[in-house]
Amino acid sequence: MNNLLLLLVVMLTAIALVFAGWGIGAWISPRSYNPLKEEAYECGVPTRGRSWMQFKAGYYLFAILFLMFDVEAVFLFPWAVVVREMGINGLLSVLFFLVVLILGLAYAWKKGALEWK
C-alpha cells in the first residue's frame, strides 16, 4: 500500500507541476492581438497562394526514416561506452538491434521509400 501511495503522490505532483507551468505561462506571457500575426510567415518572403497545401507523404516518410536511423546512433553511443563491461551478451544484443534496423532499412529501400519521385 505504501508504494501505491507514493505513486499517487508522484502522479499528483506531476499533474500539478504541468498545470502550474501552463497557468504561469498563460498568466505572464505578453499578449498582442494583431491580424498580421495570424498570417503565414516563411523566411521573410510573403506567401503566394494558399498557405494550407498538401505535401507528398514521401517527405514525411523520409523524415521519419531519418529520425529512426538517427535515433539508432543515440542508442549505440551508451552501448559503446560500456561495451567492455557488458561482455558477450551486450555484443549479441546490439547485433540483434542492428539486424532489426538493417531489415527495416532493406524493407524501406525495397518499397522505394528512399527515392525522391
Side-chain angles (χ1 to χ4, degrees), residues 13 21 34 43 51 56 61 63 71 83 88 90 98-99 101-102 104 112:
T13 304
N34 186 348
C43 299
S51 298
K56 289 176 60 175
L61 184 60
V71 168
V83 66
I88 194 72
L98 289 174
V99 165
L101 284 172
I102 289 170

Side-chain angles (χ1 to χ4, degrees), residues 53-113:
M53 55 190 295
Q54 290 184 345
F55 289 97
K56 289 176 60 175
Y59 298 129
Y60 298 113
L61 184 60
F62 198 83
I64 288 172
L65 286 171
F66 171 76
L67 285 175
M68 182 177 74
F69 291 107
D70 194 37
V71 168
E72 170 194 356
V74 171
F75 283 127
L76 286 177
F77 182 74
W79 171 81
V81 171
V82 295
V83 66
R84 290 193 179 163
E85 289 86 16
M86 293 179 70
I88 194 72
N89 289 334
L91 180 65
L92 292 177
S93 64
V94 84
L95 285 177
F96 178 73
F97 178 70
L98 289 174
V99 165
V100 170
L101 284 172
I102 289 170
L103 287 174
L105 177 63
Y107 177 77
W109 199 334
K110 184 177 183 211
K111 289 290 187 178

Side-chain angles (χ1 to χ4, degrees), residues 38-53:
E38 306 237 351
E39 290 187 17
Y41 180 78
E42 194 170 322
C43 299
V45 179
T47 57
R48 285 182 276 168
R50 294 179 29 226
S51 298
W52 293 98
M53 55 190 295

